[in-house]
Amino acid sequence: MSKMVASGIVKRYGEKEVLHGIDLELEQGKIYGLIGRNGAGKTTLLSILSSQNPATEGSVSVEFISACDGDQENRKRKDCTAKNSVAKDRTAKDSVAKNSAAKNGASGVKNDLQPAVVREPVWENPKALSHLCFSRELNTMVGNSANTMKVKEYLKIASLFLPHWDQKMADRLVAEFGLDTKKKISKLSKGMLSMVTIVVALASGAEFTFLDEPVAGLDVVAREKFYHLLLEEFAETGRTFVVSTHIIEEAADIFEEVIFLDEGKILLKENLEELLERAWCVSGREDEVDRATAGYTQHHVERLGRSKSVTILAPKLGDAEKNERAERLTDADTVEERGQAGGAPGFARGGADVTVQKVSLQKLFVALCGEEH
């Protein structure tokens, strides 16, 4: 599988629209952070991506690499089987010749079995669903009654529905978190409920795994253990993880890309390091701050007397600009020079009236999504 593609996702509950035309691509082999305020639509989006909730409009699909040749995305598997059968019936001489030509880079021989990308919708599609897992918070109630299912029973059911389930990992995680699998779900603490969802997510073996607030209720030691386990699994398997969380600063170290979801829309999706490279807090005397940030949108404006503080998100750098800045950083000899070389263009740096500082992911999120629209 190469990526997941969501196109024009709209979700309505009655007359209320909670997701507004979302387009999103998730590449294989990354850890994404999904960040948004309460009610922004994070859980709804994850449930649609994992086919647990139908979209009102739009589609979600995953892309597979097929052994068949050709450029048609909807080539049926029987075509692939037929081609493979023909290939197997080739004489040994032809096979050797083809392999030799391929190894030597010969241009006169055509390989019929070129990889092709096949796109599969996720809705009610077992082939696609076998690669997906959405591990969400357990409910201690079933209707008006307590959820009397035991943890071991819940994990057993999960193993039946998740074809790539890793029982050894599940057993290991249960031991690491000290879970009592004989306990009923209704008797679990909030932290233990989170531990169960983490076990399911990591042991699922799913290529695309979504976790909704996985550390809610966990103490700091358990949270650190989860981050370590997640990174360990990612390094070993290259699976794609999407983690929705409100504990932004603590989780930021594990994210390669972040997605800001604001009022049912994707505000931004970007490499975390590059995003923070263009995020700045400018503070000082109000007129000097306005002069230094002229031409930029000011976010999260705070005033105290004659002083003012604003957050600025500079435009993305093009490839040429990135290369130029890298050269400036390489040539810089001192810390001060490196700071100036990597600084946001157009900002007045230093001086008694204006201070320019980097912004954390949490501060940037508050600046961009924390204000009423």
Side-chain angles (χ1 to χ4, degrees), residues 57-328:
E57 298 177 16
S59 63
V60 181
S61 59
V62 289
E63 291 185 354
F64 296 90
I65 303 299
S66 169
C68 291
D69 73 326
D71 55 1
Q72 296 126 332
E73 291 183 344
N74 296 318
R75 182 182 298 273
K76 296 182 179 179
R77 278 180 291 183
K78 65 180 183 180
D79 295 335
C80 183
T81 302
K83 276 188 172 290
N84 290 336
S85 177
V86 171
K88 287 180 181 178
D89 291 337
R90 293 178 187 275
T91 63
K93 180 178 179 180
D94 290 341
S95 297
V96 170
K98 273 185 154 312
N99 291 336
S100 175
K103 289 180 180 179
N104 294 324
S107 59
V109 178
K110 179 182 177 182
N111 186 352
D112 291 334
L113 299 177
Q114 296 294 329
V117 175
V118 178
R119 181 171 291 186
E120 296 274 355
V122 302
W123 185 252
E124 296 185 340
N125 184 345
K127 180 180 179 182
L129 290 176
S130 67
H131 298 274
L132 308 179
C133 174
F134 179 24
S135 189
R136 59 197 302 176
E137 185 177 2
L138 291 173
N139 197 337
T140 57
M141 301 293 292
V142 178
N144 296 323
S145 304
N147 189 342
T148 59
M149 184 183 293
K150 294 180 179 179
V151 171
K152 64 180 180 180
E153 294 170 340
Y154 180 79
L155 295 179
K156 180 61 177 179
I157 291 172
S159 71
L160 297 176
F161 280 91
L162 296 164
H164 302 290
W165 181 262
D166 186 339
Q167 187 60 47
K168 288 184 178 180
M169 172 172 281
D171 294 339
R172 172 196 165 196
L173 295 175
V174 166
E176 289 238 17
F177 285 118
L179 276 171
D180 182 356
T181 58
K182 295 180 181 179
K183 266 194 171 184
K184 296 177 181 178
I185 289 175
S186 60
K187 299 298 183 181
L188 297 179
S189 67
K190 188 172 180 61
M192 289 179 179
L193 291 169
S194 295
M195 291 174 189
V196 175
T197 64
I198 290 170
V199 172
V200 171
L202 296 183
S204 71
E207 291 180 65
F208 281 83
T209 302
F210 309 119
L211 298 97
D212 191 18
E213 298 292 342
V215 297
L218 294 183
D219 60 46
V220 65
V221 175
R223 294 201 302 268
E224 284 298 318
K225 182 176 293 186
F226 162 68
Y227 299 137
H228 173 76
L229 291 167
L230 179 66
L231 289 174
E232 184 182 80
E233 176 67 8
F234 172 74
E236 290 181 0
T237 65
R239 294 163 58 187
T240 298
F241 292 94
V242 180
V243 181
S244 166
T245 183
H246 288 300
I247 308 178
I248 299 173
E249 209 55 45
E250 184 178 275
D253 289 342
I254 70 171
F255 299 147
E256 180 175 351
E257 289 195 19
V258 290
I259 304 164
F260 282 6
L261 188 64
D262 187 37
E263 296 187 342
K265 296 180 180 180
I266 300 288
L267 184 63
L268 62 81
K269 174 181 175 289
E270 190 171 342
N271 176 276
L272 177 57
E273 183 179 353
E274 293 180 1
L275 175 65
L276 295 183
E277 278 293 321
R278 59 192 190 93
W280 303 86
C281 176
V282 185
S283 59
R285 207 173 68 193
E286 182 167 359
D287 58 336
E288 291 295 328
V289 169
D290 290 339
R291 181 184 65 81
T293 61
Y296 295 90
T297 301
Q298 297 183 356
H299 302 278
H300 198 60
V301 178
E302 296 181 318
R303 291 183 174 85
L304 181 61
R306 298 177 60 192
S307 298
K308 181 178 182 179
S309 174
V310 301
T311 298
I312 298 297
L313 189 61
K316 291 183 181 180
L317 296 178
D319 291 338
E321 293 171 309
K322 288 179 183 178
N323 293 335
E324 181 182 351
R325 186 174 69 176
E327 291 176 0
R328 292 200 306 267

